[in-house]
Amino acid sequence: MFKVFKAFVQKELYHILRDKRTLLILFGMPIAQVLIFGYAVTNEFRDAYLDVYDQAGDYLSQELVQHLQSSGHFKVNQMIRSEQQLEDGFKAGTTKLAIVIPSDFASELSEGTSVTVQLLADGSDPNNANTLVQYASTMIGSFQQERLAQPTNPYQIDVQTRMLYNPQLESAHNFVPGTIALILLIISAMMTSLTIAREKELGTMEILLVSPLPPLLIILGKVTPYAALSFIDALLVLILGYFVFDVPIVGNLALLLGVCFLYVVAALALGTLISTVSKTQQDAMLRSLMGLMMPSMLLSGFIFPLASMPKVLQVLGAIIPATYFIEILKGVMLRGVGFHLVVWEVLILVGMTIFLLFMTYRNFKIRLE
Amino acid sequence: MTEHAIEVTGLTKRFGDFTAVDAISFHVSKGEIFGFLGANGAGKTTAMRMLIGLSKPTEGDGFVAGYNIRTEAEQIKKGIGYMSQKFSLYNDLTVKENIRFYGGIYGLSKKQIAEKTAEILEELDLLEVAKKTVGALPLGWKQRLSFAVSMVHDPDIVFLDEPTGGVDPYVRRQFWETIYQQADAGRTIFVTTHYMDEAEYCDRVSIMVAGSIEALDTPKELKKQFASTTMDDVFLKLAR
């Protein structure tokens, strides 16, 4: 039996190694994804352009603008002269953030009355607008503390913030676990569903089924090489994350890899399940993209937090294996938690895997009848 | 045990209300070339799937290579070869690798595979292209290679499902010569086809219409029975 299995794996490796596209997906994609997520997708910014509509034009307002620039986050784009100009700038898209300083800025402040400074941001890009406004507000706040340090009210609440486990708020810490989840899913689920669908398209699946091979062995022979390769990819992403983006692995590496293995089995079962209902490679591709990739990317909490989604989407997110996998990865990698703290998530993942394996086996049997 | 390579009685397959194969009975002798004909949708493929252990009959019984098709499908699979209309070779594997793989899944030893490979390459005159990928071969070559590969484990019976689709008459003729060689060597050949000239090559022919076998005899007898000069004519008279 082992000899037969070996013949199978060898054949599968020939397929993989001889197809440039497969190789590209296997090794090009994980690297590209890590680098893209690492360098391009980031919430931090430097040198954002700021438009200033300084109606006061006095020393104090100029110092405020100076202060804003001193952080290195903002650069003054242009001085606005009229409201019309302000509106034109936003419409043309050249203005992302504008500050309007009222004409009585200095005088009102020195009189001790409070004064309003207006921040205008382009809300058509809400994430960006939010971040810009937050930074600017913080800077204005610190200006007030520095320049006008005579609080009328001695009881001030001083807020001290510390971001645990990721003090610099590096986005890499979030995307490395997410990328591993996606990559393992793409390779284990999508690639296996594709390769099984291909055998069907070619008619070779029929020959295999007519041969004395037990169906289970056919499936195992097909998925084993992909399981091994996706594991290599998971390691590749971890190593890239560690050396290029300083993403730590605080927790137990064995636990981490064990969970990866569990997830790979679940993904392989999903891939095989998809292939049992797909007749062609195209069919399998569409099903995996729509049924697996999209939800795993959008609803797993990888990009958008689950807690802020409508109930329906939260429920959908709760039945996606990637949701739990990412949760466990973050816990083990970043917070260094042990098995006892992720046991619930691991159990859910085990349950899902058993369910998927059962469904796959049943479907495969039915198809044979 | 039976002296026939294939023997079925009252073989029936229903999918819900639809009866795809309706109580067919026939036998195929050892070493015979048996043509299994029928229009598209007549139930040929369904009947054949039951014979090769891919599908369980709803009713009826049958023996293939001495084994019961209901209970001993796994034994049957070891004793038969199967070639489908899609040729079923891996285009990105070389000729040798294809032979090695199929030999491997039938549990042949390294030595057996090496011998078989040499034999096939020699017989089909493929020595020069042994290390080329199958995708680069002409259709006719692929077809003969596929036939040879389906017999890599020396089965007693070979099932050919429309083996000559898409190739020209000359290549078809060539292919039938190799079929004859195998039959002469004692192998039973069970072949489905759409080409009526090929039906003439068979020892006996059955014609399926709407799930039942409407005619079964030698081509010569069939032509006499239906007062026709060609098998084409016989087929048209039946299928209409």
Side-chain angles (χ1 to χ4, degrees):
Chain A
M1 227 13 39
F2 181 72
K3 224 169 47 186
V4 178
F5 182 67
K6 214 183 93 184
F8 225 109
V9 171
Q10 189 182 32
K11 176 213 106 184
E12 211 57 42
L13 285 177
Y14 284 143
H15 288 323
I16 295 168
L17 296 177
R18 284 179 193 169
D19 186 23
K20 286 203 185 71
R21 273 185 307 175
T22 309
L23 279 180
L24 196 68
I25 293 181
L26 276 178
F27 298 108
M29 198 170 63
I31 297 174
Q33 252 194 20
V34 173
L35 295 181
I36 288 170
F37 276 122
Y39 285 118
V41 187
T42 166
N43 293 326
E44 302 144 38
F45 64 91
R46 301 214 132 249
D47 289 343
Y49 284 116
L50 171 72
D51 284 10
V52 180
Y53 186 13
D54 188 358
Q55 293 169 338
D58 51 34
Y59 73 98
L60 200 58
S61 67
Q62 276 165 21
E63 272 183 32
L64 174 62
V65 173
Q66 273 301 321
H67 183 80
L68 280 171
Q69 287 189 87
S70 69
S71 64
H73 288 299
F74 294 109
K75 230 180 193 168
V76 172
N77 182 29
Q78 55 176 345
M79 300 302 286
I80 306 278
R81 299 275 163 242
S82 70
E83 278 175 28
Q84 183 61 42
Q85 197 185 351
L86 196 65
E87 202 176 326
D88 289 345
F90 274 113
K91 280 204 170 142
T94 48
T95 308
K96 292 293 175 197
L97 179 73
I99 181 171
V100 183
I101 304 171
S103 52
D104 44 9
F105 184 62
S107 56
E108 296 240 319
L109 267 181
S110 55
E111 280 166 22
T113 46
S114 74
V115 65
T116 311
V117 168
Q118 194 178 26
L119 283 175
L120 296 164
D122 179 4
S124 60
D125 182 356
N127 280 336
N128 197 29
N130 237 331
T131 323
L132 289 175
V133 168
Q134 256 177 29
Y135 264 88
S137 309
T138 315
M139 292 306 291
I140 293 168
S142 70
F143 175 76
Q144 183 183 17
Q145 291 230 320
E146 257 175 50
R147 309 293 303 177
L148 317 155
Q150 315 98 354
T152 44
N153 183 354
Y155 306 106
Q156 291 237 334
I157 300 176
D158 185 21
V159 180
Q160 277 198 357
T161 325
R162 245 189 86 203
M163 295 297 173
L164 297 177
Y165 309 117
N166 184 6
Q168 306 291 320
L169 285 185
E170 299 278 358
S171 45
H173 291 201
N174 179 42
F175 78 76
V176 164
T179 309
I180 293 178
L182 275 188
I183 294 283
L184 289 186
L185 198 67
I186 290 173
I187 289 163
S188 302
M190 193 171 94
M191 298 292 273
T192 42
S193 74
L194 276 183
T195 150
I196 296 178
R198 193 171 83 140
E199 297 252 7
K200 280 197 205 173
E201 238 175 78
L202 280 174
T204 44
M205 189 49 106
E206 232 180 0
I207 306 284
L208 297 179
L209 291 174
V210 177
S211 80
L213 292 182
L216 193 64
L217 194 81
I218 299 178
I219 301 266
L220 278 181
K222 285 221 69 95
V223 303
T224 306
Y226 289 95
L229 285 168
S230 51
F231 229 82
I232 295 176
D233 271 335
L235 290 177
L236 193 69
V237 175
L238 281 177
I239 291 169
L240 269 179
Y242 187 80
F243 286 106
V244 183
F245 298 107
D246 298 322
V247 180
I249 301 167
V250 184
N252 188 333
L253 193 63
L255 175 60
L256 189 71
L257 295 181
V259 175
C260 284
F261 178 75
L262 183 63
Y263 182 68
V264 165
V265 175
L268 290 174
L270 264 172
T272 319
L273 194 61
I274 289 177
S275 73
T276 57
V277 290
S278 322
K279 285 204 175 63
T280 61
Q281 293 185 73
Q282 206 178 11
D283 198 5
M285 178 83 133
L286 267 178
R287 280 176 206 265
S288 356
L289 280 180
M290 300 301 289
L292 291 181
M293 299 304 299
M294 282 242 304
S296 294
M297 198 141 167
L298 301 178
L299 300 178
S300 66
F302 170 31
I303 295 178
F304 308 113
L306 262 182
S308 58
M309 286 183 194
K311 200 81 200 149
V312 188
L313 295 184
Q314 284 191 31
V315 170
L316 279 177
I319 58 169
I320 297 172
T323 309
Y324 302 96
F325 182 60
I326 293 176
E327 202 49 51
I328 301 171
L329 278 190
K330 277 187 187 169
V332 176
M333 276 177 72
L334 308 178
R335 300 197 298 273
V337 302
F339 181 68
H340 61 285
L341 281 178
V342 288
V343 69
W344 177 238
E345 282 85 357
V346 172
L347 278 182
I348 292 179
L349 216 50
V350 170
M352 284 180 169
T353 310
I354 292 173
F355 174 73
L356 287 171
L357 283 174
F358 171 74
M359 289 298 288
T360 308
Y361 186 70
R362 214 190 58 156
N363 249 4
F364 205 75
K365 279 241 143 168
I366 289 172
R367 221 182 56 77
L368 278 178
E369 282 304 303
Chain B
M1 277 309 255
T2 156
E3 282 162 37
H4 297 133
I6 302 172
E7 183 163 353
V8 295
T9 40
L11 198 63
T12 302
K13 181 79 184 185
R14 288 193 202 95
F15 299 104
D17 288 338
F18 175 66
T19 307
V21 177
D22 195 2
I24 58 170
S25 304
F26 65 91
H27 68 86
V28 179
S29 307
K30 283 179 180 163
E32 190 178 22
I33 301 177
F34 188 81
F36 201 57
L37 273 56
N40 289 330
K44 273 182 320 201
T45 308
T46 312
M48 187 148 151
R49 285 175 70 85
M50 287 190 277
L51 295 180
I52 59 180
L54 280 189
S55 163
K56 279 217 162 69
T58 317
E59 269 165 38
D61 230 327
F63 290 88
V64 172
Y67 295 105
N68 190 304
I69 56 170
R70 280 182 176 280
T71 54
E72 296 169 308
E74 295 314 308
Q75 295 297 323
I76 291 175
K77 285 177 173 182
K78 284 181 194 158
I80 60 168
Y82 174 62
M83 171 184 169
S84 83
Q85 50 193 327
K86 291 177 181 163
F87 302 161
S88 328
L89 297 166
Y90 294 98
N91 281 330
D92 53 342
L93 263 55
T94 68
V95 174
K96 267 188 162 175
E97 286 161 355
N98 266 293
I99 301 174
R100 197 198 310 157
F101 172 66
Y102 282 112
I105 65 171
Y106 277 97
L108 268 55
S109 70
K110 251 195 181 136
K111 191 166 153 255
Q112 282 171 312
I113 290 175
E115 283 169 10
K116 204 73 206 176
T117 306
E119 190 186 311
I120 292 173
L121 293 180
E122 170 82 39
E123 235 169 71
L124 299 184
D125 199 14
L126 290 174
L127 275 168
E128 274 174 37
V129 292
K131 284 188 178 147
K132 278 205 173 148
T133 55
V134 166
L137 298 185
L139 208 54
W141 294 24
K142 273 193 213 173
Q143 190 182 50
R144 282 186 301 149
L145 178 61
S146 176
F147 185 43
V149 163
S150 74
M151 294 178 297
V152 73
H153 54 301
D154 277 322
D156 294 330
I157 310 170
V158 188
F159 288 85
L160 307 173
D161 189 8
E162 291 173 25
T164 53
V167 297
D168 63 56
Y170 174 73
V171 174
R172 264 182 20 219
R173 173 74 61 86
Q174 252 189 341
F175 186 70
W176 272 87
E177 276 165 22
T178 56
I179 292 183
Y180 271 119
Q181 275 171 21
Q182 294 300 329
D184 286 345
R187 244 191 269 281
T188 310
I189 311 282
F190 185 97
V191 56
T192 73
T193 180
H194 275 307
Y195 299 106
M196 289 306 132
D197 57 328
E198 290 187 351
E200 308 260 8
Y201 299 147
C202 299
D203 294 330
R204 282 192 310 148
V205 166
S206 77
I207 300 178
M208 264 187 103
V209 180
S212 312
I213 292 184
E214 294 292 324
L216 199 171
D217 218 320
T218 61
K220 200 171 153 193
E221 280 301 315
L222 282 179
K223 279 186 279 189
K224 207 193 281 175
Q225 202 179 323
F226 287 89
S228 309
T229 48
T230 61
M231 279 304 291
D232 229 7
D233 224 22
V234 173
F235 187 79
L236 285 175
K237 276 182 179 163
L238 267 171
R240 203 160 350 122

